[in-house]
Amino acid sequence: MSEAGFNDDFLEKELFGGDDDGLDSASMDVDDMMLTGQSMATVDTELASATEDADAAATGNGNSAPEDDSRARLERSRELLTAKLDIAMDDPPGELTVLHHPPRALVGLVDGAQRCSAFEVVPTISLVNPWQIYSVTATPNMRWLFTGGEDGYIKKWDFNSTVNGKQLLTLGQRHSLVDTISKGGVTASYWDHTDVVEGGVEMLSPVYSMAVHSQALWLVSGMKSGHIGLWSVRHDEGRRISLLCKHKKPVSVLRISPDEYGLVSGSWDRAVLYWDLNTGRLARGFAGHTSQISSIEFQPSWFSERNKASQGSEPVSGEASGGEAGKEFDFQTKGPVLMTTSIDGQCLLWDVRAPKALPHPLDTPKKTPPWATSACWSRDGKKIYVGRRNNSIDEYEFGAGSLPVRTLRLPQNSGPVTALAAMANGRHLVCASTDNVRVWDLEQPVERRSTVPFQVIPGHHGGTISSVFIDESSRFMLTPSGNRGWEGTSNGHHLGYELTPVA
């Protein structure tokens, strides 16, 4: 056992594709380390050293051919992804709703957002909250904003009043902020985030994740026990309608399906589940991750095409096909694709229609620590960005293999990349690290040293950003501060920005 809590056999399996006996116990060492928030610096050192040894050994044995590496990665993926969920599936199962319902219509982009050469990003709002915010969500029209975190309360903010400056910050509140921030968040209401534990006792639970219905009819939230709370918002606000009880550890990610009849959840128990919200039953489980789930996102391109098709003719219908067991990911046939990442750096692509097919793994580059708390698609769904611990972002092309096509490297002292979001013009990427929030110009070649490829956005410094939220119209951006129950400290600043396209 290493000093930082990693099992040495687990390191060997992850780096060299060794025998997978005892994988569960080794993975629990990783989870226990993350629960205690223990530093990963020692692990990073061990991984760099182990990888160098592996490279030297491969060179000495003459086994460094790309074909051999690719074949070895595939075999390791097959061994790893034969894992089964330790969760009882419902019989009969629920419906994979994205295959049977058209996606909802998206809010239109602000004029010029799709073709602009840059965005002017100005921080103007501070949501005054003394606790860490783990999750933020909002209605597509940005009428209502919801936040939740370690205090165990769900807070509802009147975002229209906030943007219009109905409540200004005091001099004391503005003292540690940049000059452009003068508007304070207007709280509309809040309610207890209560969970039912053993014996039927109700107690407050931190809000690890959230997602809200587009018309604010209901909201879902992830709890520490593994339960998912379904809450009424518009009528009888704050009433808990139901609890979805399958996960066994904190629910770290929630994503409402584009049709809004389904829900995808990810947890610290390493399970990703698809729920049919019409019946409350599980439609599918995604087994393959070896650590806590950190992000989940649907590929945006398929749903935008399907939305256009359903508006011009009859709604497009889809049928789930079983697929061949052990079959590789099909990049040729268009369909709903789900991307999931876990805290150990795994990034997997799933074909929602084929429950028996293997997911497509996106490999972590050599000498890169196994770590990822955030990943996102580009707006056109052709690229994937994964934030890493070693001040870098890996860029992958959908359908172009398992290795990144390039790596975006931040300054050496910037710290881990904890949150990412793609901007509407497809040219810029918002990346949040410990030191600052940056907007990266993806059209700038990374090899050029004469030009700085990013712009630093003022406001945050020296704190962990839990997420980067950009509304559908690309008018506003939010960056709450919090560690989501993992490693990192909050600077207590939860900021809002106004975005203006620049021609």
Side-chain angles (χ1 to χ4, degrees), residues 51-315:
T51 307
E52 291 174 357
D53 293 343
D55 293 342
T59 303
N61 296 330
N63 296 327
S64 58
E67 295 82 0
D68 294 341
D69 291 344
S70 177
R71 189 179 299 109
R73 284 196 300 270
L74 178 59
E75 291 304 320
R76 290 200 298 270
S77 299
R78 290 184 184 277
E79 294 177 5
L80 179 65
L81 301 175
T82 53
K84 294 185 180 297
L85 289 174
D86 188 21
I87 291 176
M89 301 299 293
D90 291 324
D91 187 19
E95 181 183 68
L96 285 168
T97 61
V98 293
L99 304 180
H100 304 280
H101 302 279
R104 67 170 178 84
L106 300 179
V107 174
L109 292 171
V110 66
D111 291 342
Q114 196 167 7
R115 297 180 178 85
C116 66
S117 61
F119 282 90
E120 183 181 3
V121 184
V122 181
T124 60
I125 300 167
S126 175
L127 304 178
V128 179
N129 189 344
W131 301 90
Q132 294 191 56
I133 293 180
Y134 292 165
S135 179
V136 60
T137 186
T139 54
N141 62 1
M142 293 302 289
R143 178 67 178 89
W144 303 110
L145 172 70
F146 300 86
T147 62
E150 64 178 350
D151 59 345
Y153 293 93
I154 296 176
K155 294 185 179 180
K156 177 182 177 183
W157 306 80
D158 185 340
F159 197 73
N160 281 355
S161 298
T162 299
V163 171
N164 291 327
K166 294 296 181 66
Q167 181 170 311
L168 299 178
L169 299 172
T170 65
L171 289 176
Q173 292 170 333
R174 295 183 60 182
H175 177 71
S176 59
L177 303 173
V178 296
D179 293 341
T180 56
I181 300 177
S182 60
K183 304 171 185 177
V186 178
T187 306
S189 61
Y190 69 93
W191 64 86
D192 297 350
H193 188 239
T194 54
D195 188 13
V196 179
V197 296
E198 294 183 4
V201 178
E202 293 197 359
M203 61 183 301
L204 288 179
S205 168
V207 186
Y208 283 91
S209 54
M210 280 194 306
V212 67
H213 181 259
S214 61
Q215 302 298 321
L217 297 179
W218 45 264
L219 177 145
V220 288
S221 64
M223 300 180 176
K224 185 176 182 178
S225 65
H227 296 164
I228 300 173
L230 177 61
W231 307 86
S232 176
V233 177
R234 179 175 291 186
H235 309 289
D236 195 10
E237 182 179 278
R239 178 174 65 89
R240 189 177 63 234
I241 302 171
S242 179
L243 283 176
L244 306 178
C245 307
K246 287 291 185 179
H247 288 294
K248 300 178 180 180
K249 290 186 179 182
V251 180
S252 49
V253 190
L254 289 172
R255 287 288 179 269
I256 298 174
S257 62
D259 63 298
E260 298 201 300
Y261 290 97
L263 173 71
V264 183
S265 61
S267 169
W268 290 12
D269 61 10
R270 300 175 244 166
V272 178
L273 304 177
Y274 191 112
W275 302 82
D276 179 357
L277 292 180
N278 287 322
T279 62
R281 305 178 72 85
L282 285 181
R284 181 181 171 183
F286 301 84
H289 280 288
T290 57
S291 191
Q292 303 160 0
I293 307 303
S294 56
S295 65
I296 297 173
E297 277 200 23
F298 283 95
Q299 185 182 25
S301 55
W302 186 78
F303 295 101
S304 61
E305 293 175 5
R306 189 175 180 187
N307 196 357
K308 293 177 182 177
S310 65
Q311 291 175 359
S313 60
E314 295 182 1

Side-chain angles (χ1 to χ4, degrees), residues 318-340:
E319 295 295 336
S321 59
E324 297 179 15
K327 184 180 179 181
E328 294 184 43
F329 189 93
D330 182 9
F331 287 101
Q332 303 303 320
T333 306
K334 290 186 178 181
V337 176
L338 188 69
M339 175 189 64
T340 60

Side-chain angles (χ1 to χ4, degrees), residues 10-18 49-51 53-55 72 76:
F10 178 64
L11 288 176
E12 183 178 356
K13 294 181 182 67
E14 287 295 295
L15 290 168
F16 315 123
S49 176
T51 307
D53 293 343
D55 293 342
R76 290 200 298 270

